[in-house]
Structures are given as structure tokens and as C-alpha cells.
Amino acid sequence: MFDFATLKFIWWILVGALLIGFAITDGMDMGVGSLLPFVAKSDTERRIAINTVGPHWDGNQVWLITAGGAIFAAWPSVYAAAFSGFYMAMMLVLFALFFRPVGFDYRSKLNAKRWRGAWDWGLFLGGAVPALIFGVAFGNLLQGVPFWLDDLLRPHYQGSLLTALLPLLNPFALVAGLISLGMLTVHGGLWLQLRADEPIAGRAQKIVATIAPAVTILFALAGIWMWFGVDGYRIVSEPAHNAMPNPLAKEVVRASHAWFDVYRAFPVALLAPAIGLAGPLLAARLSAMGRAGLAFVASALAMTGIIGTAGLSMFPFIMPSSLKPNSSLTVWDATSSHLTLSVMFWAVVIFLPIVLGYTVWCYAKMWGTVSAGEIETRSHSAY
């Protein structure tokens, strides 16, 4: 039904949608985990916070698994290069995520302060560390990744495996990481304001009022930094977009302000950074007015704008190479075959509505404010 070039573009949109879906759903869980030591003072209060996400966190995390699977199937070259270059960072994320299922399932098995306190901090690490590292990864993609492709299209990296993590933690990438951590923390705080009883909801509201404006400031700072201090990438020549993928068949140059080309060519794309800047402030304002539901929607829009800004700025690049720009991987030359993209597309058309349907049903059936009375009547429950 669709030609090869159209399918390549569709899958760029679909992978982006999966990443945004992960940020909105599982980011909420990570935000709650990041806030756990600060919004809940007693064991009952911590159980209230945990129970707001307890029934949903495992389903939400499937968005991350699905996004990884989609990258593997749709962009195998990106999957191979990224999982090699970001190996240490991904292992750090993985080890942090280990604390989440074990913490949720085992925290309340023993009524011991030290036991439960240790798992509370484990849930904090499982929320804050991945949120930070995901942003750091995007920050490094915008700067270019130190890899190149040989004649057999095998990726090679500069440096050793043991020293691979430190260069990723550069100042611009850390700003991107703080944006990611901040926006997920705001999202989790709004969820607590929406679902948790007092005094947790009030504490979460105060935190949102502080962090949301900081997200806008950091996002603006990142944009200014990109304009003055981060060179972008521009394709000078390339094969037809319908051609079979070959990353080395194009010519790429690094250029100042190249990441802003899309906004000059398509001014409507400026909606993404505008939403990313205004969304956190709107969420904070609605939160202060006690409109937590609308604030949660505004937060989701803000994350869509921020992630969308990164994707639009880099388009059509997915993973630019800082060592040999011609080795950069793009939407047009890092994909699977036409048949693979077609089969995956129809799988999405069939199964995505089913997934969204039962997800909405689960949230609707388990909706309500989590209170201390409810927690105390279920002292031996899983959470």
C-alpha cells in the first residue's frame, strides 16, 4: 500500500510516538519513585504513594520494551550501533530498573523499618536514574556519537568500554538529563496530586510549583546552547529515499545552526518547542489552581513538545556520527526492508487499538483516591 520512503517516514513517527507514550505512562511511575522520599514521611504515606502506581507500573513499562523492539525491527543499524556505544549507560539504566519490580513486590513483605526504607530508596533510584540517563542519551545524540562504519557497515567506537560512560556525562548532555528528570518528576507529582490523599497531594503540588518552571528554564537554556555551541548535521547529497538502505552512500557535513533547518523550512514545527516551553508553566499554574487532571494533561503535552523538539531538530538523522559524519544513520538509510516495515505497520494497525483499549479500561476500573484508611485495612497487601 505504501512505498518504501513513506514507510520509512511512518516508522519514524511511530517510534517517536512509542517514546512519547513511554514518557507519559512509565515516566509517571518513575516520577513518583523519584519523589517517594520527599513527599511521604511515614510508612503509610509511602504506601499511599506507591499504591497510586502499583497496579499500572508493569503495564506502563511495556512501552519501553515495545520501543526497544520497534527500534530493533525497524532500525536494526541504529539498534546495533546504539546498544554498543551506549552500553555502559544502558547497563546503568538496567540495573536501576531492577529495583522497581523487586521493590514493588517485596517492599511490604516484611514489617521492618530498615527493610522497607531500603526498598524505598531502591524505588527512588529506579525512577531517578533512568529518567536522567534517557535525557543524557538524547543530549549526546544531538552532539553526535563517536562512531564510524567500515566498508561492511560494522560500527566502531572511539575509546574503550570501561571509559565509555564518562564522555557521555558532558555538560550539555547533563542539562538534557536534568530536563528529562525534571519533566518526569513533574508528571509524577501531578499524578500524586491527582490520586493520593492529603498531605501527600499538597506536598506534591509544592514540588511541582518549584520544578516545573525549572524545566522550562532548562529547556530554553538547551535551545540557546544548541544555537551557539552545538553544531548540527546537514545532508549535502544522498540517494533516493526509496533506495535500499546504505548509510555510506550519502555526504554529510557538520554546520552551525543545522539543527534549526527544519524550523526555517517548516515554521509549523515551531509548535513543538513552543509547547515544550509553555507546557510546564501551564501545568504548574493548573496545579496551583487545584486542577490536577488538566495539569496532568498539560504535563503530557509538555513532554510531547520536548521530545518532539529533539526529534524534529535532528530529522532525518537518528544517530549522527561525530567522527565520520557520512557514517551517520538516518531515517532513510538505517531501516529494515520494505516487507519488514509493511508487516510491522499492519501489526501496529491491528494490535495498538487493542493495547490502548485495555490500558484505558485498567485505569478506569482502578481509578480513585488512595487514602490512609484504605492502606491500613490492607496492611499485608503487595504494596
Side-chain angles (χ1 to χ4, degrees):
M1 174 176 286
F2 298 109
D3 62 36
F4 200 9
T6 302
L7 277 172
K8 291 176 181 179
F9 181 70
I10 287 173
W11 271 102
W12 176 76
I13 295 174
L14 289 176
V15 171
L18 286 172
L19 293 175
I20 291 171
F22 162 69
I24 293 173
T25 56
D26 205 38
M28 170 190 73
D29 307 337
M30 292 182 179
V32 170
S34 301
L35 290 174
L36 188 60
F38 311 106
V39 298
K41 304 303 181 182
S42 65
D43 182 68
T44 298
E45 290 180 356
R46 285 189 285 272
R47 291 189 64 208
I48 290 173
I50 292 171
N51 272 265
T52 63
V53 297
H56 308 294
W57 73 269
D58 46 354
N60 294 341
Q61 194 158 291
V62 172
W63 285 88
L64 176 61
I65 299 169
T66 306
I71 292 172
F72 171 75
W75 299 336
S77 301
V78 175
Y79 185 92
F83 276 65
S84 298
F86 295 131
Y87 184 81
M88 294 302 294
M90 290 183 178
M91 290 301 296
L92 181 61
V93 168
L94 184 62
F95 282 118
L97 289 176
F98 285 164
F99 287 111
R100 300 185 72 209
V102 183
F104 280 119
D105 288 340
Y106 284 93
R107 179 197 179 277
S108 295
K109 297 299 183 183
L110 295 178
N111 189 14
K113 184 176 181 180
R114 182 173 296 180
W115 170 269
R116 294 187 174 185
W119 287 119
D120 290 340
W121 282 105
L123 290 172
F124 166 78
L125 292 174
V129 171
L132 179 69
I133 296 300
F134 290 146
V136 167
F138 270 96
N140 279 279
L141 288 176
L142 286 164
Q143 296 175 96
V145 182
F147 80 100
W148 75 94
L149 302 176
D150 62 22
D151 292 339
L152 297 177
L153 302 184
R154 295 175 300 187
H156 300 272
Y157 278 84
Q158 185 180 59
S160 67
L161 181 64
L162 294 179
T163 60
L165 184 59
L166 289 179
L168 299 179
L169 301 176
N170 56 78
F172 178 79
L174 287 174
V175 169
L178 290 176
I179 294 170
S180 174
L181 177 60
M183 71 181 189
L184 297 191
T185 301
V186 167
H187 205 54
L190 291 169
W191 180 255
L192 288 174
Q193 187 180 348
L194 189 62
R195 293 290 313 279
D197 205 356
E198 293 292 350
I200 296 173
R203 293 176 188 145
Q205 180 181 357
K206 293 178 181 178
I207 292 175
V208 167
T210 301
I211 297 180
V215 173
T216 294
I217 294 171
L218 287 170
F219 186 51
L221 173 63
I224 296 170
W225 198 329
M226 284 177 58
W227 179 265
F228 289 104
V230 178
D231 288 341
Y233 292 74
R234 185 177 293 139
I235 297 175
V236 176
S237 64
E238 61 180 332
H241 295 165
N242 266 322
M244 290 300 294
N246 181 6
L248 297 180
K250 64 182 181 298
E251 182 181 354
V252 178
V253 296
R254 297 187 69 170
S256 299
H257 311 150
W259 285 151
F260 296 84
D261 287 352
V262 66
Y263 306 109
R264 288 188 285 264
F266 304 98
V268 69
L270 288 169
L271 285 173
I275 293 172
L277 288 168
L281 299 178
L282 178 60
R285 178 59 179 165
L286 290 169
S287 171
M289 295 169 59
R291 306 296 296 273
L294 290 176
F296 189 79
V297 173
S299 174
L301 289 174
M303 289 192 289
T304 302
I306 291 171
I307 297 172
T309 298
L312 286 170
S313 298
M314 291 179 60
F315 184 83
F317 292 92
I318 304 171
M319 191 171 176
S321 168
S322 61
L323 298 181
K324 294 185 178 180
N326 289 356
S327 295
S328 300
L329 302 175
T330 75
V331 171
W332 313 120
D333 59 27
T335 64
S336 295
S337 68
H338 191 178
L339 177 61
T340 300
L341 297 185
S342 298
V343 171
M344 290 171 58
F345 172 77
W346 288 112
V348 170
V349 170
I350 294 170
F351 291 106
L352 183 59
I354 298 173
V355 172
L356 292 175
Y358 76 67
T359 300
V360 171
W361 181 84
C362 289
Y363 275 92
K365 295 298 290 185
M366 288 179 271
W367 191 258
T369 301
V370 183
S371 64
E374 177 189 357
I375 292 297
E376 290 167 356
T377 59
R378 297 188 291 113
S379 60
H380 299 290
S381 67
Y383 308 118

